[in-house]
Amino acid sequence: MAGSPKSPNALLHGALDALILKVLSRGPSHGYAVARFIEEATGDALLVEEGSLYPALYRLERRGWVEAEWGTSELGRRAKLYRLTAAGRTQLDQEVATWRQFSTGVSKVLFAS
Amino acid sequence: MAGSPKSPNALLHGALDALILKVLSRGPSHGYAVARFIEEATGDALLVEEGSLYPALYRLERRGWVEAEWGTSELGRRAKLYRLTAAGRTQLDQEVATWRQFSTGVSKVLFAS
DNA sequence: TGGCATTACCTAGACGATCTAGGTAATGGC
DNA sequence: GCCATTACCTAGATCGTCTAGGTAATGCCA
């Protein structure tokens, strides 16, 4: 009974953009590497599925927060390299601030005595 | 340009259930009061719209995590009182743990040097 | 008496985002 | 020759929030 068929990562909703932007703020990268970075950095606590990743990257590009260019990965393979734009950096700051407010609020309620 | 027409609280996705369960763990309450409590507890950082609140309560009831009963509010008005079930308490514990993992992960990425 | 804010609930449809589950293609180890 | 890995792409299902409407009762105030 306990296992309800719920979306495995509903919480990711709205936070993924900020995560991607943050990773790209460390320097240009390609989608696959962004996902691997997030997973590794969180000890697999956050899994980024490709069906969420690529649509998110197109979304960010469409909004002018990242720019894409074909190039090669560290392993010498064909890869689309994403780079944070100036607007993207502004957006990142804002999303970080929003996240801080939100998570503080949730914690206030969830961890109240 | 900066203002994109984004859903005001996409982050709430997946966290609302936990918030409601937590508020109800303090004792039975009605929907309207739950929303007011969350808003007041977070200094209006978290706004719970009624169009999210009531569907969420039905969802929780359908899953057996809360039980509803008609009664009266503190102001003597007709109100539907929700009470946490045993299954709801278990679910709350699990959702709090999930939230902790998730928010820790996001913070690791967003607040990394 | 009338008007209005507040309390309290309800709901249809729009919208947005993740996930499932498939696919392509090239590389390199065994 | 086979298979895991790297790397990208996408349609459709699914789920949850929000918009924007609605009902109804109470109590204040002019």
Side-chain angles (χ1 to χ4, degrees), chain A residues 30-32 50 54 58 70 73 77-80:
Chain A
H30 59 283
Y32 193 79
E50 302 198 350
Y54 293 109
Y58 305 148
W70 282 103
S73 72
R77 303 199 179 197
R78 169 182 158 279
K80 199 187 265 184

Side-chain angles (χ1 to χ4, degrees), chain B residues 50-111:
Chain B
E50 302 197 349
S52 314
L53 171 70
Y54 292 109
L57 285 168
Y58 305 148
R59 189 165 60 235
L60 298 179
E61 191 179 8
R62 208 170 50 240
R63 294 180 179 165
W65 299 335
V66 304
E67 280 171 355
E69 186 185 15
W70 282 103
T72 57
S73 70
E74 324 77 50
L75 298 177
R77 302 198 180 200
R78 170 183 157 280
K80 201 188 267 184
L81 299 174
Y82 288 90
R83 188 177 354 92
L84 200 62
T85 65
R89 199 167 292 271
T90 301
Q91 179 64 20
L92 171 58
D93 291 345
Q94 191 180 310
E95 296 218 11
V96 169
T98 299
W99 164 259
R100 209 187 289 269
Q101 279 184 14
F102 173 75
S103 71
T104 300
V106 172
S107 294
K108 267 184 193 160
V109 174
L110 289 192
F111 303 143

